[in-house]
Amino acid sequence: MGDGELWDGASKQYMAEYGNPKETAVSETITPYLYEDVQQTRRTFIEMSRGCRNKCLFCQYGWLKSYRECDIADIRMCIDRAKTKSIRVFAADRFQHSAYNAIQQAMLKRGKTDTGSDVSIKFILENPEYLQFTNKIRVGVEGLSYRLRKMVGKNYDDDDIVRFCVMVANAGIRSLDWYMIYGLPTETDDDVLEFETLLDKLNAAMPEGYTIAIHWNAFTPSAQTPLQWAAPAIGEFSGLKKMFNEYRRNDKIKIYHKPKLTSYDTIVSRMLAIRATPETAKLTYNFAFKKPAMLRNKKFLFAEYERLAGAPLLGEWPTDKSLPWDKFCLYKKDLMLKLYNKALKS
């Protein structure tokens, strides 16, 4: 559990054991190394940092991994040794690295091309010069409304997002990819209407014909995050469907929603994995090999899961009941519960 470089391949110090919760392995120093990927075009991957400072309430990476940076001297050495022209110097949010400018200067000196695309609105707004180092932008907007974004830790209002998008367009980047989460706790159709207002503002501010591809994903509660007790995104989502099918005011810019809603059956599959327990192991195994038959009898599936686990598969997990991973891992559960309760009240 944790950073793999601390494991010697045999010791059980960091191996999960039921009923014996342990601290995860955290390496104080991380060192980059070259990994060359062979697809149609060869490219090299170099890790620049691990973890994330943002601590979004839905995201495991900011909570499971404390933030650490690779030393700039080690990163330069890897860049110098890379045989490919294309390099992805990667991180959860690569602009967080304190020596990001120096990393890019080392890339330019060696004639390398950075193929990274994931960025954050926060660091672009604070460091607009970083746009000169990227050719493609993918960004997590996540919540439909400012209320929801603020609730999960993405504290960007509509004006922040519009300003960010205009900056990207002015930098010569011809399209944008957004990651969006729907079905967050307390979400309503009013939040969908606020999202339509945001699209109207973008339509007025962005250049003619600009393309924004929005990638939707259903919320599912991840282990060891403040939203781990929440129910997954299930329901009719009539407001969201109506927006997909009828919203036509964006005649100046091009908006593509791909993919749209996640299927109900996929949500069920995800939750059986997320909320798996030793007691539900046989049920999960049978589901994996007899999925069509079990999905045809969801009433039995849900009742059997709740009988074995003592909590609902698709509902809110009781905050006074142990979570499946509590018997394996030590983590900041009390802090997460405070943040969860605060989020529900926002």
Side-chain angles (χ1 to χ4, degrees), residues 120-137:
S120 69
I121 294 173
K122 174 183 177 181
F123 281 87
I124 287 290
L125 292 177
E126 293 177 354
N127 305 277
E129 68 276 10
Y130 287 177
L131 286 171
Q132 66 183 296
F133 298 130
T134 187
N135 299 310
K136 181 177 174 62
I137 294 287

Side-chain angles (χ1 to χ4, degrees), residues 88-158:
R88 178 166 289 190
V89 189
F90 71 92
D93 181 355
R94 66 190 196 279
F95 293 164
Q96 289 187 27
H97 198 290
S98 59
Y100 184 76
N101 269 318
I103 293 170
Q104 290 301 326
Q105 291 303 320
M107 294 275 283
L108 291 171
K109 181 180 178 181
R110 292 295 180 183
K112 305 296 185 180
T113 300
D114 187 353
T115 61
S117 57
D118 290 325
V119 305
S120 69
I121 294 173
K122 174 183 177 181
F123 281 87
I124 287 290
L125 292 177
E126 293 177 354
N127 305 277
E129 68 276 10
Y130 287 177
L131 286 171
Q132 66 183 296
F133 298 130
T134 187
N135 299 310
K136 181 177 174 62
I137 294 287
R138 296 188 298 187
V139 64
V141 175
E142 314 304 4
L144 285 161
S145 64
Y146 175 54
R147 179 187 71 84
L148 289 174
R149 293 190 292 271
K150 185 177 180 182
M151 178 187 79
V152 300
K154 297 279 188 179
N155 193 17
Y156 314 129
D157 61 23
D158 287 3

Side-chain angles (χ1 to χ4, degrees), residues 219-243:
F219 168 74
T220 48
S222 295
Q224 297 181 57
T225 66
L227 295 186
Q228 61 187 344
W229 293 274
I234 53 173
E236 291 299 318
F237 299 106
S238 55
L240 203 56
K241 291 177 182 176
K242 184 178 180 181
M243 184 191 74

Side-chain angles (χ1 to χ4, degrees), residues 27-288:
S27 177
E28 293 185 6
T29 303
I30 59 173
T31 305
Y33 66 93
L34 298 177
Y35 169 74
E36 190 172 303
D37 180 44
V38 182
Q39 297 181 10
Q40 290 181 342
T41 303
R42 290 178 178 268
R43 58 179 175 171
T44 298
F45 289 77
I46 302 172
E47 183 181 33
M48 73 166 82
S49 67
R50 191 176 299 168
C52 181
R53 291 191 179 108
N54 291 335
K55 292 287 192 291
C56 297
L57 267 60
F58 57 84
C59 181
Q60 282 185 318
Y61 201 61
W63 294 94
L64 292 179
K65 300 281 186 178
S66 57
Y67 184 76
R68 290 144 296 160
E69 295 182 349
C70 293
D71 189 272
I72 180 61
D74 293 330
I75 296 173
R76 283 198 188 104
M77 186 180 299
C78 284
I79 293 171
D80 290 345
R81 291 170 51 203
K83 297 178 181 178
T84 65
K85 179 176 176 61
S86 295
I87 299 179
R88 178 166 289 190
V89 189
F90 71 92
D93 181 355
R94 66 190 196 279
F95 293 164
Q96 289 187 27
H97 198 290
S98 59
Y100 184 76
N101 269 318
I103 293 170
Q104 290 301 326
Q105 291 303 320
M107 294 275 283
L108 291 171
K109 181 180 178 181
R110 292 295 180 183
K112 305 296 185 180
T113 300
D114 187 353
T115 61
S117 57
D118 290 325
V119 305
S120 69
I121 294 173
K122 174 183 177 181
F123 281 87
I124 287 290
L125 292 177
E126 293 177 354
N127 305 277
E129 68 276 10
Y130 287 177
L131 286 171
Q132 66 183 296
F133 298 130
T134 187
N135 299 310
K136 181 177 174 62
I137 294 287
R138 296 188 298 187
V139 64
V141 175
E142 314 304 4
L144 285 161
S145 64
Y146 175 54
R147 179 187 71 84
L148 289 174
R149 293 190 292 271
K150 185 177 180 182
M151 178 187 79
V152 300
K154 297 279 188 179
N155 193 17
Y156 314 129
D157 61 23
D158 287 3
D159 291 341
D160 291 330
I161 295 171
V162 171
R163 184 158 58 96
F164 164 80
C165 292
V166 169
M167 288 169 60
V168 171
N170 290 341
I173 299 170
R174 297 183 178 182
S175 64
L176 261 167
D177 289 87
W178 285 12
Y179 297 129
M180 292 294 301
I181 299 174
Y182 73 89
L184 287 165
T186 74
E187 182 180 297
T188 69
D189 284 348
D190 287 340
D191 297 298
V192 179
L193 295 176
E194 287 197 38
F195 188 72
E196 291 183 1
T197 299
L198 169 59
L199 295 183
D200 283 341
K201 292 177 181 178
L202 285 167
N203 194 46
M206 297 294 283
E208 183 81 32
Y210 198 84
T211 299
I212 299 178
I214 304 180
H215 308 271
W216 296 88
N217 195 18
F219 168 74
T220 48
S222 295
Q224 297 181 57
T225 66
L227 295 186
Q228 61 187 344
W229 293 274
I234 53 173
E236 291 299 318
F237 299 106
S238 55
L240 203 56
K241 291 177 182 176
K242 184 178 180 181
M243 184 191 74
F244 291 152
N245 295 329
E246 300 179 10
Y247 185 67
R248 292 291 182 272
R249 281 175 280 175
N250 292 72
D251 53 357
K252 180 183 174 186
I253 62 175
K254 300 175 182 177
I255 299 287
Y256 296 98
H257 300 284
K258 295 182 179 180
K260 297 179 183 177
L261 297 184
T262 308
S263 74
Y264 185 80
D265 290 353
T266 297
I267 299 294
V268 173
S269 300
R270 289 180 182 176
M271 292 306 296
L272 275 170
I274 291 170
R275 289 182 173 173
T277 73
E279 292 76 20
T280 65
K282 186 175 181 180
L283 180 68
T284 306
Y285 179 89
N286 289 334
F287 180 87

